Every structure is written in structure tokens, then in C-alpha cells.
Amino acid sequence: MTKKVFSENQKQLARFAKALGHPVRVYIMELLSKQSCCYSGDLSEDLPIAKSTLSQHLKELKAAGLIQGEIEAPKIKYCINQENWNLAKKLFQNMLQK
């Protein structure tokens, strides 16, 4: 039996931190925190990056559970996953206060 070194909170915090580890993804989260949702097409107009690169950044945020996407053909609407975003803020706050 292996010794458990990392808590579930530490693992989750690391997933969130990894997802936020690029300025484009931080920008996306800041933008979404100021409005209810946005469309991938609108983001591609705001950011000076290829649509495929933007898609990869959105995929990373979605995989970490920080955003959720809803298909509204032909676009995808992205919103913050409030439950996970609140958890991320709590975990970061707890770590930074120690």
C-alpha cells in the first residue's frame, strides 16, 4: 500500500492552476467573469490567435471544469462553471493565506 501524499484538494488545485497557466486562458476567465456567457466566434474576434489555438485553450478550461460549453448551432456558447469556479477561488485563497 502506498502512502497518500497529496490530498484531493491539492490535486484539484493543481488541475485548476494548470488550466489557468496561460495568459489566453486567464483572459478568457476574466472576460467570462464579467458577463454571463460568450460565443467562441466572439472570442476569436477579440484574440489575435488562430481559431484552432483558441479551441485548444477552451478545451483545456473545459477539461478542468472551469467552463462549460453549450452548442447553439453554428456557434458554441461558453459560460463559467460557477460551482467549480467558486471551488477554485476557495482552494487558491486557502493556499495563499497559509
Side-chain angles (χ1 to χ4, degrees), residues 55-93:
S55 179
Q56 187 60 37
H57 286 301
L58 291 167
K59 182 179 173 184
E60 291 289 331
L61 291 169
K62 193 172 178 184
L66 292 172
I67 64 171
Q68 52 202 30
E70 183 179 309
I71 297 172
E72 290 186 1
K75 297 180 179 182
I76 301 175
K77 180 170 77 171
Y78 289 97
C79 306
I80 288 181
N81 179 318
Q82 289 298 328
E83 183 179 341
N84 286 339
W85 185 235
N86 289 333
L87 175 60
K89 290 189 285 188
K90 179 182 169 189
L91 293 173
F92 277 110
Q93 189 173 36

